[in-house]
Amino acid sequence: MKRLQPDTLIRNPTGRPIVASRVIDCQARRVWNMVGTFSGFDVFIPALSHIEMTGTGVGALRTKFFRDGNQVVEQLNSRDEHAMYMTWTTLYNTLGVARLWAAINVDALETQCSRVTWTLIAEPEDAAQVGFEQFVQAFAESALDNVSRLLGPQ
């Protein structure tokens, strides 16, 4: 009998990063308070009905429930409150994504102006899936448009 060895199904995706970025007329800390809250993405992603958390801090899991019935489970890999960035990995989903790693960060440009950048590296379950990168890009762009609408000048 073969001796059992440590194994895992988790591996980082490979491929071209997909990047969405917005300059927002808003103080960086205020933008970070929205996009840097791992449990709060349902505030700026209307497709989410709610989020359930398991644990806190790095290593915590979030389950995102979409209004259309899809679910995504993600693990927080890193988070730096001072530098205003965090990274996470998708562990399970019903969206047809094989692997996904993401990062979001906020940079202060001026006192009342900041840039939020969402970087994703993702692989579809079906390598022949048409439009996968465009879907991921459009999802991230739409979410950041919502952040800009919610926090920008009223």
Side-chain angles (χ1 to χ4, degrees):
M1 180 170 150
K2 182 180 173 185
R3 187 164 187 219
L4 297 177
Q5 297 290 317
D7 61 353
T8 183
L9 295 174
I10 300 170
R11 73 174 175 81
N12 285 321
T14 58
R16 183 180 64 85
I18 297 167
V19 179
S21 186
R22 292 289 178 281
V23 172
I24 301 173
D25 291 328
C26 182
Q27 192 234 10
R29 182 60 52 188
R30 189 163 172 236
V31 175
W32 174 247
N33 287 343
M34 180 177 285
V35 302
T37 302
F38 193 59
S39 62
F41 276 41
D42 53 342
V43 169
F44 60 91
I45 300 176
L48 295 174
S49 65
H50 66 287
I51 293 174
E52 292 179 4
M53 293 296 299
T54 304
T56 59
V58 171
L61 301 178
R62 74 175 170 195
T63 302
K64 299 189 301 191
F65 294 87
F66 286 79
R67 296 184 191 284
D68 65 5
N70 281 298
Q71 292 182 15
V72 175
V73 178
E74 297 169 321
Q75 181 177 44
L76 182 62
N77 298 328
S78 67
R79 187 173 188 284
D80 187 312
E81 182 70 23
H82 178 71
M84 295 187 287
Y85 75 81
M86 68 180 173
T87 65
W88 63 93
T89 302
T90 297
L91 302 177
Y92 170 82
N93 72 89
T94 58
L95 296 171
V97 178
R99 278 166 287 289
L100 183 140
W101 172 89
I104 201 159
N105 65 287
V106 177
D107 297 302
L109 301 178
E110 297 173 16
T111 305
Q112 289 296 321
C113 187
S114 56
R115 177 182 300 113
V116 58
T117 304
W118 192 350
T119 305
L120 303 106
I121 301 174
E123 297 175 15
E125 281 182 0
D126 178 0
Q129 186 174 339
V130 176
F132 178 76
E133 283 187 17
Q134 293 84 353
F135 164 76
V136 174
Q137 183 80 51
F139 182 85
E141 297 281 352
S142 174
L144 293 188
D145 284 344
N146 289 331
V147 171
S148 184
R149 273 193 291 280
L150 290 166
L151 296 177
Q154 302 301 315

